[in-house]
């Protein structure tokens, strides 16, 4: 998702776009992979001295609720990335650097066959490990 699309989507949900929120979205549109709230605070700190975790988390969860950011949990900590909306896919996520690689294979056909009498409302499929760069480091 591009920055302009994210800001537009945020406004369409009735939220005000501020410089701080646009800086948060800029960070995620430029980041390669999942990032933590601490990563974001380190990025924002030079511009917004003393920015609180509460402010950061509130905005991260709001962006996630609106569908601008996706979340995953790595080592017990929530990580965020800009949403991929161009087509259905899943991700390999590097546990070291947080970079992702799209996986176009979806196991849902097999799961739907196994759960024929169940109502499936959604799914998330992620594979975790180390990317080639982190393996060679």
């Amino acid at each position: 998702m591009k920055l302009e699309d994210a800001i537009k989507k945020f406004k369409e949900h009735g939220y005000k776009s501020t410089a701080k929120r646009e800086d948060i979205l800029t960070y995620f549109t430029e980041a390669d992979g999942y990032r933590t709230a601490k990563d974001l605070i380190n990025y924002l700190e030079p511009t917004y001295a003393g920015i609180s975790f509460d402010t950061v988390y509130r905005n991260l969860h709001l962006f996630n609720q609106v569908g601008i950011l996706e979340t995953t949990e790595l080592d017990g900590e929530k990580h965020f990335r800009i949403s991929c909306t161009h087509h259905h896919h899943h991700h390999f996520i590097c546990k070291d650097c947080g970079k992702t690689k799209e996986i176009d294979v979806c196991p849902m056909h097999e799961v739907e066959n196994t759960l024929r009498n169940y109502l499936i409302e959604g799914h998330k499929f992620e594979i975790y490990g180390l990317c080639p760069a982190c393996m060679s480091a």
Side-chain angles (χ1 to χ4, degrees):
M1 181 179 298
K2 294 180 183 173
L3 177 62
E4 301 79 28
D5 297 332
I7 292 169
K8 181 180 175 188
K9 185 171 189 172
F10 195 63
K11 287 180 178 179
E12 286 171 352
H13 280 81
Y15 295 103
K16 183 179 175 186
S17 180
T18 64
K20 191 180 298 178
R21 286 177 170 166
E22 288 185 21
D23 287 345
I24 291 170
L25 291 174
T26 297
Y27 174 74
F28 283 103
T29 56
E30 294 175 356
D32 184 13
Y34 283 92
R35 298 292 176 250
T36 65
K38 187 172 173 39
D39 295 331
L40 176 60
I41 286 175
N42 290 336
Y43 170 80
L44 295 172
E45 197 49 54
T47 306
Y48 304 99
I51 190 167
S52 71
F53 268 102
D54 188 44
T55 297
V56 168
Y57 272 108
R58 191 172 46 253
N59 280 287
L60 289 173
H61 289 290
L62 184 59
F63 289 137
N64 175 248
Q65 182 182 348
V66 170
I68 295 170
L69 293 180
E70 298 174 358
T71 64
T72 194
E73 196 166 308
L74 295 170
D75 298 324
E77 185 176 15
K78 223 169 211 183
H79 287 63
F80 300 84
R81 69 170 268 140
I82 201 78
S83 288
C84 302
T85 57
H86 55 282
H87 70 282
H88 181 80
H89 65 276
H90 300 283
H91 294 115
F92 170 88
I93 303 168
C94 180
K95 291 178 72 174
D96 249 11
C97 69
K99 288 184 180 178
T100 62
K101 177 165 177 47
E102 288 185 11
I103 303 168
D104 291 322
V105 176
C106 181
M108 281 308 293
H109 295 297
E110 194 65 36
V111 172
E112 289 167 341
N113 288 334
T114 304
L115 300 172
R116 287 193 194 275
N117 296 322
Y118 293 80
L119 173 63
I120 299 170
E121 295 180 341
H123 72 280
K124 186 173 187 178
F125 179 68
E126 297 174 338
I127 298 175
Y128 304 96
L130 297 176
C131 69
C134 290
M135 283 191 309
S136 64

